Amino acid sequence: MVTTPPPAAHTADVPAGNILERWIRGWDWFWFHPADPTLLGALRILTGMIVVWVQLAYTVDLDALLGPKGLLDVHTVNEFRHNWPWMTIPASWESDMEAYFAGLQSLKPPAAEQRAEIEQYVRTWDVDPRLASDKGFPVWSIFFHVTDRTWIRVIHFSILGVMVLFTIGFCTRVTSVLTWMGAMCYINRNQWGLFGMDTMTNIGLFYLMIGPSGAALSVDRLIARYRATREALRQRRPAPQLGAPPPMVSANLVLRLMQVHFCWIYFAAGTSKLLGTAWWSGTATWGTMANYEFCPMNVPLYMGFLQLLCEHRWLWELFMTGGVIFTLAMELCTPFLIWQRKWRWIVLTGVVLLHTGISLFMGLTAFSFMMGVLAASFVPLEDIERFRRWLARRATSLKLMYQQAGAARQLRAASLVKAFDTFDQVELQPHAPRRESGEKVPADAPLQLITPTGEVLTGFDLFTGLTRWLWLLRPLALVTWLPGVASMGQSRFPGVSPVLEEAATNGVKRQHPEVAAKAR
Amino acid sequence: MMDAHPVQIEHQEGPLANPWHLLLAGLVVTGVAVVLGRVAGSLALGELRFLLICIGLSAAGWAIACRPRAEVIFAAVAIALMGWVAVPPDWDSIRLVLAVLITVGIFCGVVVMLPRVVRRVVVSLLIILHFGGILTAITSAPPPNSQGNWVINQVWTNFYRPYLQFTYLNNAYHFYSPEPGPAFDIWVRIAYADGSSKRLRMVERDLYPLRLEYQRRLALASQTEPRQQQTPEIDRLLGERQAAGEYHRPKIPMHRDIPATGQYRVPSFFVKQILSSFARYYAENNPHPAGHAVTGVKLYHVTHLILNATEIAAGVSPTDPTTYVATYLGDFDGKGQLKEGYYDDKGELHDACFRQKFDERDVLRVEYQDPFLYWIIPIQREAANIPQPNVQSGNAMTLTRQSPAEQRVRQLLALPVRNYVKIHAGDKDDDGDEPW
């Protein structure tokens, strides 16, 4: 269904009221103001790429990390998730140990049938299970239950397939939920083999699942554009100018959730560092640069750099202190400054630099990339719109002529072109029943793409032309340059129109009649 | 070319847009899973039933995406309920997920029916609750040498824990704090019935083509760090350790650079279970080529110290053997249990690492503990006279190369290394330049 949106309300013009009213309006604007979902679509693609990579990495390690007899076998993991003891925090002033021993003394000797079970629990956990207020974790994973090697692989590749669909944005409302659930299966099964990257990808997937992450930059959007255009063409209406996706409240909500969570992460990371003496003495950066297991100390160039620093103390101290100050400044100031429009790009640049450093010095590339994705939730939407308009100004206008009557294939093809025409470059126009010369346009007149210079392209040349001019299809232009692709395409889709055939034999490049008429 | 007011399309999902067709498809597929469970037996064909449930729920979810109305949501909840019935009863975690989905679905169905303003109020409350949970996760991690806030711990334990653990949002984000620390490794020695052995390391960069695999093992090793333990028995344990070190051939001294009582480091109870799992894994995945049985798996937790600037300047290699500090974690049998050994006719205990039993008051007591168990086993340079730091000579702020500290390091580098970890494990310490 196609609708025309109402003009956007200027939300800054809110009437001043008492402080409670202002707070409520401010809260409402902050969380529930509609926003362009394009940024969310970009975040979906980036997060999806990381998640797919992480999944692929699991492929070579399935038995060791997910198998029933892996490094952390299913028996151990099940023991944790069923029996991990949680003790009540005493409500009085006694310590945990005092409360525990007091509780022990109050216990009656166990019944004979319970004794073996209690003793086994004590041997495993060193606490009496009768004193635990709760046991286990509410965690879940298909890999707790599936132990057959083949089925583990079937499930693994199924999840991988779903993640690919999520990344490209197909059936995103469903694949986003399935992707999060799939990722959680790995996280929960491998709980003690996780690190910061898993934490951040989970946060990203959790929020992307809530919001309309498939509303833009997605196959879903392409399909929706295709269907809208095809419906209009079938009903012999002009093809609609579809433009950017409509602003959505849920898109803004999710972006805000990501932004606030990102700020919490940075604030927690920064303030917790202040508990450490190495951060105060300015030497903490050394602990991240000289850690053999993380840093590229097996690379001679890197070791040479470290030695250069170590042989000149002033240089070492400046470098380390500078690193500490930069890290703390970023982590403590970002949560406040990033909300200020004039500081936004400066802070984002600092975040990128910080995580580039983490990636280079500590090898935590996937983690750094994911932090960058979360930080990207702060990219101003108006700057995205400005970039979109910049691209639109540089886009070439084209015209696509199609046969309206009885040519379902051409309608579909024209709709497909319009689906990829994200900047409304292509004007769809049905062939007129007769040409200027009066001759009837044949029923088999092909799809024709008319360039600004009047060149008429059909068949494979039409496709090549679209890849040159439509922004979304430009990456495919590389494919058309591959040896053999062009000749194969020409032989499969020759598509030369009777008009051009005459021009070709005469060696004259013929302009489209309309363009020629305008020139005259 | 871009219209000031572009025409907009309602967001529609995929090629199928009729929610009732999708719900019907979901119902049928999930119904097949239910029937399979009844026909084949409650525990049979679990994987197939699970896949069918996933497909059925996906169709139901798709229906909700097409038309997010209350009636569609409640119909999807009914399909989820069928899925709960279809899941094998011993797949408790999948039933947990479905139960949560059903609860969330019912809640969302009710919220969708509410007026817009009330919906926003409900969502606002959820946002506050959600970030309240994140805040408790961040602040419940105790500061160094402290217990953490009592109020936060109560709220986290009694209210937020299930939500945060279910969604894996329980991280405190204390990255590299309070201090960036060293990396850890697990060294493994597998002994076979024919007297041969094999040494392995869990964290070995060159072994894994993908960095992620390597980092996951780093994470696993870091979980097993034993902690210095305050115990009233430390003097007795220290005496036994020193006596055992003297009695061992060759002798195994204490680590020279760490205070004696600080060399006793005990893993927590959940770490002990992780170690058991490691032992089982290595025993199972490293069979002897000739089929000899695995008689024991020794594990060592290793801290790889970070070199300081003086050492780097003096040219010490980051993989110098003395940078590895190993704690002996036990000798395990093929089933991952610390060896309890056996008593001979004379009542002497052999081949034991750790035994415990309940006394007459039902208190678990240690009956026997290997004197080296949970003690640091050193790798260190040996000489009659180890050069000591001379704090009188040289200016600590000197900018010249070869400062007194560097000179001492270079003198140390010239001394031979004795790898007592290899000796303790049962091998020779001079069988290669690698620390393990």
Side-chain angles (χ1 to χ4, degrees):
Chain A
M1 194 166 93
V2 174
T3 57
T4 305
H10 187 50
T11 52
D13 294 332
V14 292
N18 63 37
I19 190 166
L20 182 63
E21 280 178 7
R22 285 206 301 273
W23 275 42
I24 290 171
R25 286 185 201 283
W27 176 275
D28 186 67
W29 180 86
F30 184 85
W31 291 107
F32 302 110
H33 173 72
D36 184 347
T38 303
L39 178 57
L40 210 58
L43 298 182
R44 185 203 79 246
I45 293 170
L46 294 171
T47 305
M49 284 164 55
I50 298 171
V51 166
V52 167
W53 168 241
V54 171
Q55 278 304 104
L56 285 172
Y58 267 115
T59 305
V60 299
D61 232 352
L62 280 179
D63 291 325
L65 295 177
L66 303 176
K69 295 184 180 181
L71 276 163
L72 215 53
D73 56 23
V74 159
H75 166 80
T76 304
V77 173
N78 282 336
E79 177 66 25
F80 287 169
R81 71 183 185 91
H82 286 142
N83 291 325
W84 185 293
W86 296 98
M87 311 304 287
T88 307
I89 302 167
S92 61
W93 289 105
E94 59 187 353
S95 69
D96 295 346
M97 290 304 292
E98 287 166 352
Y100 177 72
F101 285 118
L104 267 184
Q105 285 168 4
S106 68
L107 285 176
K108 294 176 187 171
E113 60 271 17
Q114 287 182 316
R115 191 177 195 84
E117 191 183 326
I118 291 173
E119 283 185 0
Q120 180 56 35
Y121 193 93
V122 174
R123 281 179 187 277
T124 307
W125 293 104
D126 200 34
V127 295
D128 193 303
R130 294 169 292 176
L131 295 177
S133 60
D134 195 10
K135 293 206 250 328
F137 295 101
V139 294
W140 44 280
S141 173
I142 186 60
F143 299 113
F144 292 154
H145 312 291
V146 174
T147 53
D148 178 74
R149 265 185 109 234
T150 306
W151 273 108
I152 287 175
R153 278 149 180 79
V154 167
I155 290 170
H156 170 72
F157 285 107
S158 300
I159 293 174
L160 183 60
V162 165
M163 288 176 171
V164 170
L165 292 177
F166 164 73
T167 306
I168 65 174
F170 181 69
C171 297
T172 318
R173 281 293 192 184
V174 173
T175 54
S176 60
V177 176
L178 291 175
T179 297
W180 177 74
M181 294 178 80
M184 284 296 291
C185 286
Y186 291 82
I187 285 171
N188 286 327
R189 174 64 183 88
N190 193 30
Q191 278 237 353
W192 279 266
L194 304 175
F195 52 102
M197 177 204 66
D198 302 287
T199 306
M200 299 308 154
T201 51
N202 177 62
I203 291 169
L205 289 175
F206 183 77
Y207 292 135
L208 287 170
M209 145 179 98
I210 295 171
S213 52
L217 303 179
S218 63
V219 170
D220 289 341
R221 178 74 181 159
L222 286 176
I223 292 172
R225 292 170 59 89
Y226 169 80
R227 292 176 65 191
T229 305
R230 196 181 62 177
E231 189 186 330
L233 295 183
R234 262 202 204 136
Q235 295 171 6
R236 303 209 177 190
R237 289 187 282 110
Q241 300 272 6
L242 295 169
M248 302 170 80
V249 169
S250 48
N252 178 71
L253 177 68
V254 166
L255 286 171
R256 292 302 194 193
L257 287 169
M258 282 185 171
Q259 289 169 354
V260 173
H261 204 139
F262 176 83
C263 288
W264 275 118
I265 291 169
Y266 259 52
F267 192 68
T271 49
S272 60
K273 286 177 170 66
L274 295 177
L275 296 168
T277 53
W279 292 100
W280 281 101
S281 63
T283 58
T285 318
W286 181 248
T288 64
M289 289 180 63
N291 191 322
Y292 181 77
E293 275 70 17
F294 287 92
C295 308
M297 293 177 83
N298 54 339
V299 175
L301 189 64
Y302 185 80
M303 271 308 288
F305 168 67
L306 289 185
Q307 264 174 320
L308 176 71
L309 289 180
C310 295
E311 287 167 1
H312 302 85
R313 186 168 179 179
W314 280 108
L315 195 59
W316 189 94
E317 295 285 2
L318 281 173
F319 197 93
M320 297 308 140
T321 304
V324 163
I325 290 173
F326 179 69
T327 303
L328 289 176
M330 285 307 307
E331 289 186 347
L332 293 172
C333 297
T334 293
F336 305 100
L337 291 180
I338 203 167
W339 299 101
Q340 306 293 324
R341 186 66 179 86
K342 61 180 178 180
W343 282 95
R344 178 108 21 114
W345 279 110
I346 299 170
V347 173
L348 284 175
T349 306
V351 168
V352 169
L353 285 174
L354 174 65
H355 288 289
T356 304
I358 290 171
S359 174
L360 284 174
F361 291 124
M362 287 184 271
L364 299 172
T365 308
F367 165 76
S368 298
F369 193 74
M370 195 59 219
M371 287 302 295
V373 171
L374 290 177
S377 64
F378 279 99
V379 170
L381 298 179
E382 50 272 23
D383 289 349
I384 293 174
E385 180 59 28
R386 203 173 294 136
F387 179 65
R388 184 188 284 136
R389 289 188 186 277
W390 180 84
L391 286 177
R393 281 196 295 274
R394 280 153 184 76
T396 312
S397 295
L398 303 162
K399 194 178 284 189
L400 188 71
M401 309 284 291
Y402 65 96
Q403 193 65 268
Q404 192 168 57
R409 208 169 144 188
Q410 285 202 10
L411 288 186
R412 287 198 296 271
S415 303
L416 195 60
V417 169
K418 201 63 189 155
F420 283 94
D421 178 26
T422 48
F423 291 95
D424 289 326
Q425 295 168 253
V426 180
E427 182 191 342
L428 293 184
Q429 193 172 324
H431 283 298
R434 292 183 183 279
R435 295 202 177 98
E436 269 199 9
S437 56
E439 64 180 301
K440 199 175 171 186
V441 172
D444 62 348
L447 211 58
Q448 294 178 356
L449 183 70
I450 301 163
T451 70
T453 56
E455 196 181 348
V456 180
L457 303 176
T458 60
F460 187 74
D461 289 335
L462 185 153
F463 171 73
T464 308
L466 288 173
T467 62
R468 302 272 188 276
W469 283 299
L470 290 189
W471 281 107
L472 202 57
L473 293 180
R474 282 195 178 186
L476 291 180
L478 297 169
V479 175
T480 64
W481 288 336
L482 292 173
V485 171
S487 52
M488 201 159 48
Q490 290 285 4
S491 61
R492 181 75 177 83
F493 303 102
V496 176
S497 71
V499 170
L500 286 174
E501 197 172 340
E502 180 193 337
T505 52
N506 292 343
V508 173
K509 196 189 241 184
R510 172 129 177 196
Q511 281 189 324
H512 191 271
E514 277 189 28
V515 177
K518 277 184 189 165
R520 284 195 297 271
Chain B
M1 136 201 350
M2 286 186 67
D3 200 327
H5 291 293
V7 173
Q8 287 164 7
I9 45 179
E10 276 189 11
H11 189 59
Q12 288 172 326
E13 284 289 337
L16 301 175
N18 188 322
W20 300 108
H21 293 165
L22 291 164
L23 284 169
L24 183 63
L27 192 71
V28 166
V29 171
T30 312
V32 168
V34 174
V35 168
L36 273 178
R38 293 281 177 265
V39 166
S42 61
L43 301 180
L45 299 176
E47 293 88 352
L48 180 60
R49 284 150 65 186
F50 173 75
L51 278 179
L52 289 172
I53 293 165
C54 283
I55 294 169
L57 287 177
S58 297
W62 201 341
I64 295 174
C66 290
R67 194 175 300 171
R69 301 280 160 84
E71 59 274 16
V72 176
I73 295 173
F74 289 130
V77 165
I79 294 174
L81 200 55
M82 281 178 63
W84 191 90
V85 171
V87 165
D90 58 334
W91 288 28
D92 56 318
S93 78
I94 303 302
R95 282 194 155 182
L96 170 67
V97 173
L98 288 171
V100 169
L101 272 178
I102 290 165
T103 309
V104 169
I106 294 170
F107 179 81
C108 290
V110 169
V111 168
V112 158
M113 291 191 294
L114 297 172
R116 183 168 153 273
V117 172
V118 179
R119 264 206 312 269
R120 289 197 174 183
V121 169
V122 169
V123 170
S124 299
L125 287 172
L126 288 174
I127 291 169
I128 293 169
L129 271 176
H130 167 74
F131 282 112
I134 302 297
L135 183 63
T136 61
I138 289 169
T139 51
S140 61
N145 305 315
S146 177
Q147 289 236 325
N149 183 274
W150 187 89
V151 172
I152 297 290
N153 284 336
Q154 291 283 10
V155 172
W156 182 86
T157 305
N158 298 315
F159 182 69
Y160 276 117
R161 182 177 64 83
Y163 168 65
L164 294 173
Q165 289 177 343
F166 184 87
T167 52
Y168 189 58
L169 292 173
N170 196 34
N171 203 292
Y173 313 120
H174 293 183
F175 302 123
Y176 290 95
S177 59
E179 316 275 349
F184 304 106
D185 195 358
I186 297 288
W187 289 357
V188 185
R189 184 185 183 273
I190 305 166
Y192 299 99
D194 66 341
S196 62
S197 65
K198 184 177 181 183
R199 291 200 303 261
L200 298 161
R201 296 170 63 166
M202 179 183 286
V203 179
E204 196 156 4
R205 204 197 297 250
D206 299 330
L207 209 57
Y208 309 108
L210 296 175
R211 181 115 183 135
L212 276 178
E213 287 181 270
Y214 166 74
Q215 285 171 338
R216 296 224 179 271
R217 279 159 179 77
L218 265 177
L220 274 169
S222 72
Q223 298 292 338
T224 59
E225 186 188 4
R227 306 279 175 179
Q228 199 174 332
Q229 194 168 70
Q230 308 279 350
T231 167
E233 310 251 324
I234 189 63
D235 291 331
R236 176 184 66 79
L237 291 166
L238 177 60
E240 288 175 3
R241 162 66 180 92
Q242 287 169 330
E246 283 292 315
Y247 185 73
H248 199 277
R249 290 291 174 267
K251 293 182 185 178
I252 299 179
M254 302 291 288
H255 198 292
R256 190 175 47 240
D257 298 329
I258 301 172
T261 52
Q263 297 184 32
Y264 185 66
R265 300 176 178 190
V266 183
S268 62
F269 275 81
F270 85 87
V271 170
K272 288 180 182 176
Q273 294 182 70
I274 293 175
L275 296 173
S276 292
S277 181
F278 287 172
R280 282 192 292 274
Y281 173 81
Y282 282 106
E284 177 125 354
N285 289 278
N286 292 278
H288 192 280
H292 296 292
V294 170
T295 56
V297 179
K298 283 185 177 171
L299 297 179
Y300 299 85
H301 180 274
V302 179
T303 303
H304 189 181
L305 299 177
I306 298 172
L307 294 176
N308 60 34
T310 307
E311 289 165 334
I312 295 270
V316 178
S317 165
T319 55
D320 185 276
T322 59
T323 58
Y324 295 91
V325 179
T327 305
Y328 177 49
L329 296 176
D331 193 3
F332 297 81
D333 59 24
K335 293 179 185 171
Q337 302 301 316
L338 284 170
K339 287 183 181 174
E340 292 191 332
Y342 60 93
Y343 285 101
D344 65 11
D345 299 333
K346 296 176 189 172
E348 287 180 6
L349 187 61
H350 296 275
D351 197 27
C353 182
F354 188 78
R355 289 174 74 98
Q356 54 183 5
K357 68 176 184 183
F358 287 93
D359 63 14
E360 59 282 356
R361 290 183 299 162
D362 287 337
V363 177
L364 192 61
R365 299 273 182 217
V366 176
E367 190 183 341
Y368 171 79
Q369 179 170 323
D370 182 322
F372 289 105
L373 186 63
Y374 306 140
W375 285 94
I376 287 175
I377 311 292
I379 302 174
Q380 56 196 14
R381 289 191 156 77
E382 300 284 281
N385 296 304
I386 299 290
Q388 296 301 316
N390 186 351
V391 297
Q392 299 299 324
S393 65
N395 184 345
M397 289 297 290
T398 182
L399 298 178
T400 60
R401 297 172 67 118
Q402 295 276 339
S403 64
E406 278 183 55
Q407 289 169 13
R408 175 171 178 265
V409 170
R410 287 181 194 279
Q411 286 173 334
L412 276 173
L413 283 177
L415 300 173
V417 174
R418 286 224 84 182
N419 189 329
Y420 291 103
V421 185
K422 285 184 182 176
I423 291 170
H424 173 267
D427 298 324
K428 294 181 183 175
D429 70 323
D430 58 352
D431 63 352
D433 294 331
E434 291 294 318
W436 189 245

